[in-house]
Amino acid sequence: MTEQIPAAERYKEITARATTAAQQLRKHERERAGELGEAVAAGKQRREAADEQREKVFDDVRKRWKAAMEALWNERWMQVKGMPDPDRKAAPSTPDDSRRDVQQAYRALYDALEKPRFAASLRPRRKKDS
């Protein structure tokens, strides 16, 4: 027949296994907490970098808007109320692409303001001396 293990030894064996399992679980939880702490820190850094970059883009857009308003100062017919709100329906873009697009739009406006106002056929004709 099978040999019976005394209850005291069985108890010691079970508590030793439970202690080992608890120690392994604590070790795993410490490692996981460290990994999660690093992930949170990295996420915080990415968030701060994104906020900083957003501010740079916003400042650049604000500067271009101000320059555009100064360029349009003599265009009294144009009614401009202020800087428009961001277009939430616009396609996603990188900060560099956004800055480039704003710069191109500003250049196009500036170039348009530099062009002659009237076509040659609409200019007043000079009277010819007879």
Side-chain angles (χ1 to χ4, degrees):
M1 297 227 183
T2 61
E3 188 178 315
Q4 293 255 342
I5 300 175
E9 289 220 14
R10 181 93 174 113
Y11 175 77
K12 286 180 184 178
E13 183 182 312
I14 291 172
T15 55
R17 284 184 185 173
T19 302
T20 302
Q23 288 171 346
Q24 289 174 345
L25 180 61
R26 280 193 291 274
K27 180 183 174 189
H28 173 72
E29 287 176 343
R30 279 192 301 272
E31 290 171 356
R32 186 67 179 139
E35 291 170 3
L36 292 174
E38 290 172 7
V40 167
K44 185 177 180 182
Q45 286 178 339
R46 284 193 312 271
R47 168 89 191 258
E48 289 171 354
D51 286 346
E52 184 178 316
Q53 211 163 35
R54 180 182 54 83
E55 282 302 314
K56 286 179 182 178
V57 170
F58 189 73
D59 287 343
D60 195 35
V61 168
R62 191 177 318 124
K63 287 176 188 175
R64 297 285 179 232
W65 180 262
K66 184 177 178 183
M69 293 301 98
E70 288 172 4
L72 291 171
W73 182 253
N74 291 329
E75 304 296 325
R76 303 280 185 218
W77 58 270
M78 186 176 257
Q79 297 290 323
V80 181
K81 303 221 188 260
M83 194 163 127
D85 292 330
D87 183 1
R88 303 289 180 198
K89 296 177 184 176
S93 173
T94 65
D96 291 334
D97 289 344
S98 297
R99 279 195 204 98
R100 189 175 2 220
D101 291 346
V102 168
Q103 175 64 16
Q104 287 173 350
Y106 173 75
R107 286 299 319 160
L109 170 68
Y110 192 80
D111 291 345
L113 290 172
E114 291 296 313
K115 289 183 179 179
R117 304 290 174 173
F118 300 104
S121 63
L122 297 177
R123 289 187 188 150
R125 295 183 188 195
R126 292 186 179 198
K127 293 184 179 179
K128 293 183 183 179
D129 292 328
S130 312

